[in-house]
Amino acid sequence: MSAVEALYIFDESNTPLLEHTYTGRPPPGSTVLPLYLSHPEPRPSLIYLPNTNPPTLLYSILQDQLLFLSPCSQDVEPLQVLEFLHRVADALEDFLGSPLLASKIEGSYDVVAQLLSEMVDGGVISCTEPNALRDVVEAPSFIKNLLGGVGIPSSTPSSLTPSATPFSLSSRPSIPRPNSNNNTASPVPWRRANVRHTSNELYVDIVETLHVTIAPSGRPLSAIAYGTIAFTAKVSGVPDLILQLGCPGGISSTISLPVFHPCVRLKSWQERPGHMSFVPPDGRFVLAGYEVDLLGPAALDSFSTTVKGNAAPKLNIPATASILTSLGPTGADFEVRLTLNPRFAGKLPSPSPSTIGSRGGAGLGRGIGSLGGASFGSSQGTTAAPSIEDLTVHIPLPASVKNITDLRITKGPGEAAYAPGDRSIEWRLSHKQISTLMAQDRGSGLGVLALLRGTVTGPADADADADADDADNPLNPHSSSLSNPYDYTDDSTAVPSSYQSVSPSLAPLASHHKDDRSVLLRKKNKVLMPSGVSVSFSVKGWLPSGVKVESLSVDAKRSKGLGAGVQPYKGVKYLGVSRRGVEGRC
């Protein structure tokens, strides 16, 4: 059964860049594009088009403002087509460079044609690994494109020749493969054959993204960390590697929902969790991904009414924020409280030759990474002393807010940015400002507090509506009943009073009315209050889950072509980030 019938690529202006038909007679791009754009944003990645003949399912992704569309008139697995579109975008980035631009596709049309023809054969997805594609597709070269542009023959046809048709590819081009005369093919599908490197290096980068939700009481409602293990292999031959992960609570009880690159031997992980045996692709790739519940399996039990409040799960994260609303006499003020964890104060490093990784050494370190807990020289953040960098507090505002007046930082450093009409306030603190603030309360150990305060202003007619409600109130000194010149009071019943004073019998009512007006203003300002606050930051040398690389070794018995006695240089980096992921709710 055919899975992919055609592929259409459009630029940021919805101008067609390429149309490649694999099988059948799918509707052209000029037909499916208006039907796709007719759906309101945000558009789903799968849209059913019943008005086409035959009815068609349209798959779509956006990559670097380029639109990838693939129509399919048959019943296929949706994830298969969507994954293919992502693989196409990744392959184009690998060959043409990132970011993926329309000019790059137009300037290297011959390479794009080869890639699309190799990735799908007659509608069936065949080869999508970038390393395997490099064995059969020649990467673009500036000199070759220049020679082809001036009419001098090159190894690949130029996109400027009349025979090239950049907007339609209905047949497979007959382009000679660069390794067609080479009988030696790689035994590993995801690795190129005859890989040679003058420098043998292995790098591991583990990045964990925080998603934390905190209740107004300060109790964490959810805390999830999504981890990605990026691996870079620049080793000659076919190396067989062993990567061992560890964490305080054990890998099997910490990591959930792991996903792996096809190069990982699943049996080794199943038998020994945390043990990954694999033959890596050449270059940089994503080795694995995982998810960690930072609250633990007993998090739901802690929300029971029988559990005491001090037994709630504790989180050790760099920064949290909370917000107090409806402050002030009219309830128009709010206050944001930013709390910094003193554990992430960091320290100034003292670099020495013994702490800097050297080429050919057995140590594993690349600036901030370590094995066994040893840290390496870095200007900011180490595994022994992580530090917060580039912290931003984001306060979203309701659409009815017209302005923020008296926005000020009452305690702590930073810059608060807001312009009338913006839908959010951003409070930024640089690494230097955070270090200075941390140094002031380094010995307390209770956390560092910074405060931001502001006043919301609603629509211009909000106060006018409140005054209009009071215009007919007889207790209002400016109401019509008291200012009517035809009203009079009999001298015999008049109560002596001063000019424009309110009768003593009406004084309690006037006070009551004043309280009602204050309550009314508070209700109107309450809908203008922010509903939450989020924090963004990055911390080098620290992971929320505590996962670390315990060892990275080369299996000499299984490896081929590495050379006897060669010890690759190894390095590890840890990075914990929050992209508005730590959220405090009102």
Side-chain angles (χ1 to χ4, degrees):
M1 180 182 296
S2 300
V4 180
E5 297 181 1
L7 174 65
Y8 309 138
I9 303 179
F10 302 87
D11 63 7
E12 59 274 8
S13 302
N14 296 323
T15 303
L17 294 177
L18 182 142
E19 293 188 6
H20 194 119
T21 302
Y22 291 106
T23 184
R25 299 182 63 183
S30 58
T31 300
V32 298
L33 180 63
L35 298 176
Y36 170 81
L37 297 177
S38 63
H39 283 258
E41 295 183 351
R43 300 180 179 92
S45 56
L46 178 57
I47 298 177
Y48 179 63
L49 306 178
N51 296 329
T52 59
N53 189 17
T56 303
L57 286 172
L58 185 63
Y59 300 86
S60 63
I61 66 168
L62 285 171
Q63 179 76 15
D64 294 333
Q65 296 185 349
L66 299 184
L67 176 62
F68 293 74
L69 298 179
S70 179
C72 187
S73 59
Q74 301 180 8
D75 187 13
V76 298
E77 179 63 37
L79 293 180
Q80 184 181 15
V81 183
L82 292 176
E83 179 65 19
F84 165 72
L85 294 179
H86 284 286
R87 292 294 184 96
V88 170
D90 293 342
L92 293 178
E93 279 192 349
D94 186 69
F95 276 79
L96 305 181
S98 180
L100 190 58
L101 303 177
S103 58
K104 294 181 180 179
I105 296 178
E106 293 176 343
S108 303
Y109 173 72
D110 52 345
V111 177
V112 177
Q114 294 180 73
L115 282 173
L116 297 181
S117 298
E118 293 292 342
M119 296 181 75
V120 177
D121 186 7
V124 179
I125 302 173
S126 56
C127 178
T128 59
E129 289 292 336
N131 274 267
L133 290 171
R134 286 192 176 275
D135 280 342
V136 294
V137 178
E138 189 172 4
S141 172
F142 174 76
I143 298 298
K144 293 178 181 179
N145 289 341
L146 179 62
L147 295 177
V150 298
I152 302 177
S154 62
S155 60
T156 56
S158 171
S159 61
L160 301 179
T161 57
S163 59
T165 57
F167 295 101
S168 178
L169 282 173
S170 58
S171 60
R172 182 169 176 168
S174 58
I175 301 176
R177 296 182 178 182
N179 293 338
S180 58
N181 297 328
N182 190 357
N183 296 325
T184 60
S186 174
V188 183
W190 51 82
R191 186 172 179 85
R192 293 187 297 121
N194 303 322
V195 178
R196 292 292 181 268
H197 289 282
T198 56
S199 60
N200 293 298
E201 301 170 337
L202 298 173
Y203 297 134
V204 183
D205 298 283
I206 305 181
V207 181
E208 289 188 359
T209 305
L210 271 172
H211 292 272
V212 180
T213 303
I214 301 176
S217 61
R219 188 190 194 101
L221 300 178
S222 66
I224 304 294
Y226 299 97
T228 301
I229 304 176
F231 200 94
T232 303
K234 298 181 179 179
V235 180
S236 303
V238 184
D240 201 299
L241 308 178
I242 299 176
L243 179 66
Q244 183 66 42
L245 301 178
C247 63
I251 290 293
S252 58
S253 59
T254 302
I255 289 181
S256 60
L257 304 177
V259 292
F260 302 99
H261 189 275
C263 68
V264 178
R265 300 181 178 97
L266 296 180
K267 186 177 180 180
S268 63
W269 178 274
Q270 294 172 352
E271 294 176 351
R272 299 172 56 188
H275 181 89
M276 283 189 285
S277 176
F278 59 97
V279 176
D282 183 50
R284 184 175 177 85
F285 67 101
V286 177
L287 178 63
Y290 58 89
E291 178 181 311
V292 177
D293 187 356
L294 301 178
L295 298 181
L300 293 178
D301 298 337
S302 64
F303 291 96
S304 175
T305 56
T306 60
V307 179
K308 296 182 180 179
N310 55 9
K314 303 297 182 181
L315 288 178
N316 186 19
I317 56 180
T320 59
S322 60
I323 185 168
L324 300 177
T325 59
S326 300
L327 304 178
T330 60
D333 297 344
F334 65 90
E335 184 179 71
V336 178
R337 297 187 173 185
L338 173 65
T339 305
L340 304 179
N341 193 330
R343 181 195 166 204
F344 298 89
K347 64 180 180 179
L348 294 177
S350 55
S352 61
S354 60
T355 60
I356 301 177
S358 59
R359 295 292 308 279
L364 181 62
R366 184 157 53 114
I368 60 174
S370 66
L371 274 181
S375 62
F376 294 82
S378 175
S379 60
Q380 297 177 3
T382 62
T383 54
S387 62
I388 308 173
E389 299 180 5
D390 300 329
L391 187 145
T392 302
V393 180
H394 182 82
I395 306 108
L397 299 173
S400 55
V401 174
K402 299 304 179 183
N403 196 6
I404 300 292
T405 60
D406 198 18
L407 183 64
R408 63 196 184 279
I409 300 173
T410 58
K411 181 180 179 181
E415 296 180 357
Y418 174 80
D422 289 350
R423 297 273 64 84
S424 63
I425 303 172
E426 288 191 353
W427 179 15
R428 297 180 180 273
L429 288 82
S430 65
H431 172 73
K432 184 177 180 180
Q433 292 172 336
I434 295 174
S435 300
T436 304
L437 184 62
M438 288 283 198
Q440 298 175 359
D441 299 335
R442 186 180 292 270
S444 64
L446 301 176
V448 182
L449 185 65
L451 302 177
L452 173 71
R453 197 176 181 97
T455 304
V456 297
T457 302
D461 58 345
D463 294 337
D465 293 341
D467 294 339
D469 295 337
D470 298 337
D472 296 330
N473 195 319
L475 301 179
N476 187 351
H478 302 285
S479 63
S480 58
S481 60
L482 294 181
S483 59
N484 191 343
Y486 296 100
D487 290 344
Y488 66 95
T489 304
D490 191 2
D491 295 338
S492 60
T493 61
V495 180
S497 60
S498 60
Y499 176 68
Q500 288 186 344
S501 65
V502 181
S503 173
S505 61
L506 299 180
L509 297 178
S511 176
H512 179 70
H513 171 67
K514 183 177 180 180
D515 295 339
D516 290 344
R517 187 175 187 276
S518 178
V519 171
L520 179 62
L521 287 176
R522 282 183 169 274
K523 288 183 178 180
K524 291 187 176 182
N525 290 328
K526 188 175 182 179
V527 299
L528 305 176
M529 289 291 109
S531 59
V533 58
S534 60
V535 186
S536 301
F537 55 82
S538 63
V539 180
K540 292 182 179 180
W542 171 80
L543 296 178
S545 65
V547 173
K548 64 178 180 179
V549 177
E550 293 185 347
S551 64
L552 174 61
S553 58
V554 181
D555 192 340
K557 295 182 179 179
R558 292 185 175 183
S559 302
K560 298 179 181 179
L562 182 59
V566 176
Q567 293 292 334
Y569 174 75
K570 307 165 189 176
V572 173
K573 278 186 177 180
Y574 302 129
L575 179 64
V577 299
S578 168
R579 300 182 180 92
R580 299 184 184 179
V582 180
E583 179 186 0
R585 295 184 178 177
C586 296

